[in-house]
Amino acid sequence: MNKLTLHLHKGRDLAARWLMPGEATAKWNTWNLYRDIAWYGVLSGVSSTFTSIFALRLGSSNSLIGLLTSLPALVNVLFQLPAARLIERQQNRKGVILLSGFLMRFPVLLTALVPFLSRFQAEAVVYITVLGTIPSAVSNVAFTAMVADVVPPRDRAHVVSVRNVLLSAVTTLAVIAAGKALDILPFPVSYQLIFTLAFMTSLLSLYYIGRIAIPECRPSRQEAVQRERLGLRRSARTILAQSDYVRFTLASFLYHWGLYLPIPLYAIYKVRMLHISEGWIGVLSMLESGVTIAAYYLWGGLAEKHGARFVLLLGVLGLCFYPIGTALSKDIWPLLLVSFVAGIVGPAFNLG
């Protein structure tokens, strides 16, 4: 009976940690970061997996699917530096995070309303997604700065790892549930439902971000002047002086160029060539996310034992199998192996 009571108390304490906002301490900041990513995982899984499929079902051309991938990436590149300058000058970073966080989530709700348009539905999905990338750039920079402010350096690796595991777990459940719903419910009501639910759950993640105690940033006048004097030329010289960093950046650019080049083709190939249903697309994404959860722990141990470079090289080589394996797959069954391998090697690349 005593053991049962002890387990009940532990379960109650765990439930309280997830459901109650808690006090403004470093420990509760960490728990709020966990709650945030758990609720955000629903939107992340649904939007990343099914937005391009939705555009295809609405009659999108191959060129539009290419723009759906390329334009957000271009906008993100253009707005990264202005976003960083904006965040540096803000004293109240929480306000920036909450506003930009809402604006980056709002396009998912707008996407759910696209079927009500009489024309240009597929184009609307693309342009809504692109516009959502602008606040997303600001939100990502602000959130990264916030984590550095509220999580002690000794705890950051652990906190980021737990957040990644939670994101993968929730994404796995959300994608498989959404895939089943899309197969059962009529089009386009099915997509409207899952996008709306994803948006609503993502607002809960904003609530827990709002509960995080963020210290105000008050840069001195001298720091502001020095920051203004640090022009592009001086910044470039500082970066170029770091030869290891330059080599890594160039190699990373070339690798990502090749890895991301066929991304628009994956959805087109699965839907138009292999005629895979939304349910099976959800299974593929679920398998990759599910394997990722265990793989993070595996690669974390190998990184401690053999070093980050070893893990990174294995991840780089393993990810090459994804485009090759997809191209060689003629039906759904080989794609299950491709997703399984991607779920194993993806964390190696990220951690390395």
Side-chain angles (χ1 to χ4, degrees):
M1 181 62 69
N2 290 334
K3 289 184 178 180
L4 177 60
T5 303
L6 180 62
H7 288 306
L8 290 175
H9 284 306
K10 287 183 178 180
R12 181 197 62 190
D13 293 340
L14 182 62
R17 286 181 178 179
W18 279 102
L19 298 176
M20 300 301 291
E23 301 174 1
T25 63
K27 181 178 179 181
W28 283 109
N29 277 343
T30 299
W31 273 97
N32 283 321
L33 286 172
Y34 294 159
R35 300 181 186 107
D36 151 55
I37 199 64
W39 287 110
Y40 182 76
V42 178
L43 181 140
S44 176
V46 168
S47 61
S48 63
T49 304
F50 295 110
T51 299
S52 59
I53 309 299
F54 184 45
L56 285 170
R57 300 299 188 198
L58 290 174
S60 173
S61 65
N62 294 347
S63 298
L64 274 178
I65 295 300
L67 291 176
L68 186 60
T69 302
S70 60
L71 284 182
L74 176 61
V75 171
N76 189 61
V77 169
L78 295 177
F79 280 87
Q80 279 290 319
L81 290 178
R85 293 292 183 95
L86 173 66
I87 299 305
E88 287 176 350
R89 296 171 181 171
Q90 297 299 316
Q91 294 183 2
N92 180 19
R93 290 180 177 175
K94 180 185 287 187
V96 177
I97 293 172
L98 293 176
L99 178 59
S100 60
F102 174 79
L103 293 177
M104 69 174 281
R105 291 161 170 80
F106 188 62
V108 177
L109 179 61
L110 293 180
T111 302
L113 302 178
V114 164
F116 293 117
L117 298 176
S118 58
R119 299 174 60 190
F120 306 113
Q121 294 179 346
E123 291 85 351
V125 172
V126 174
Y127 298 137
I128 288 172
T129 303
V130 172
L131 290 176
T133 310
I134 299 175
S136 178
V138 178
S139 179
N140 291 337
V141 173
F143 191 85
T144 301
M146 181 197 72
V147 172
D149 290 336
V150 303
V151 181
R154 66 179 184 278
D155 298 332
R156 284 176 195 162
H158 175 74
V159 171
V160 171
S161 297
V162 173
R163 279 174 56 87
N164 285 336
V165 170
L166 286 172
L167 179 63
S168 297
V170 176
T171 297
T172 299
L173 297 175
V175 167
I176 191 64
K180 289 295 184 182
L182 291 174
D183 279 347
I184 295 173
L185 299 175
F187 179 86
V189 175
S190 54
Y191 278 93
Q192 292 178 292
L193 177 63
I194 67 165
F195 283 138
T196 302
L197 290 176
F199 169 73
M200 293 176 63
T201 55
S202 73
L203 295 182
L204 292 173
S205 77
L206 276 183
Y207 168 75
Y208 286 113
I209 291 177
R211 300 298 304 182
I212 297 174
I214 307 175
E216 286 193 0
C217 180
R218 298 181 179 275
S220 65
R221 178 62 182 169
Q222 182 179 1
E223 290 175 339
V225 172
Q226 290 177 348
R227 188 178 296 121
E228 293 296 331
R229 289 177 179 175
L230 186 61
L232 291 177
R233 291 184 179 179
R234 186 177 174 186
S235 299
R237 287 197 299 267
T238 302
I239 293 173
L240 293 176
Q242 312 298 323
S243 58
D244 288 341
Y245 176 76
V246 172
R247 285 196 298 269
F248 176 81
T249 303
L250 291 176
S252 179
F253 173 79
L254 292 175
Y255 181 78
H256 281 89
W257 181 279
L259 188 66
Y260 290 162
L261 187 64
I263 278 185
L265 301 178
Y266 295 142
I268 297 172
Y269 186 65
K270 293 173 183 176
V271 172
R272 290 183 174 163
M273 303 301 294
L274 302 183
H275 305 288
I276 299 176
S277 69
E278 277 82 349
W280 274 112
I281 291 174
V283 169
L284 293 173
S285 181
M286 177 208 69
L287 178 61
E288 183 176 339
S289 299
V291 174
T292 295
I293 299 173
Y296 266 111
Y297 289 102
L298 170 66
W299 292 115
L302 289 176
E304 293 180 358
K305 185 177 181 180
H306 300 287
R309 185 187 297 271
F310 172 77
V311 170
L312 175 61
L313 290 176
L314 290 179
V316 166
L317 292 174
L319 281 178
C320 294
F321 176 73
Y322 191 88
I324 297 173
T326 302
L328 296 176
S329 300
K330 301 303 181 182
D331 53 50
I332 184 65
W333 303 110
L335 287 177
L336 293 173
L337 176 61
V338 173
S339 294
F340 180 81
V341 174
I344 292 178
V345 297
F349 180 76
N350 294 333
L351 286 174

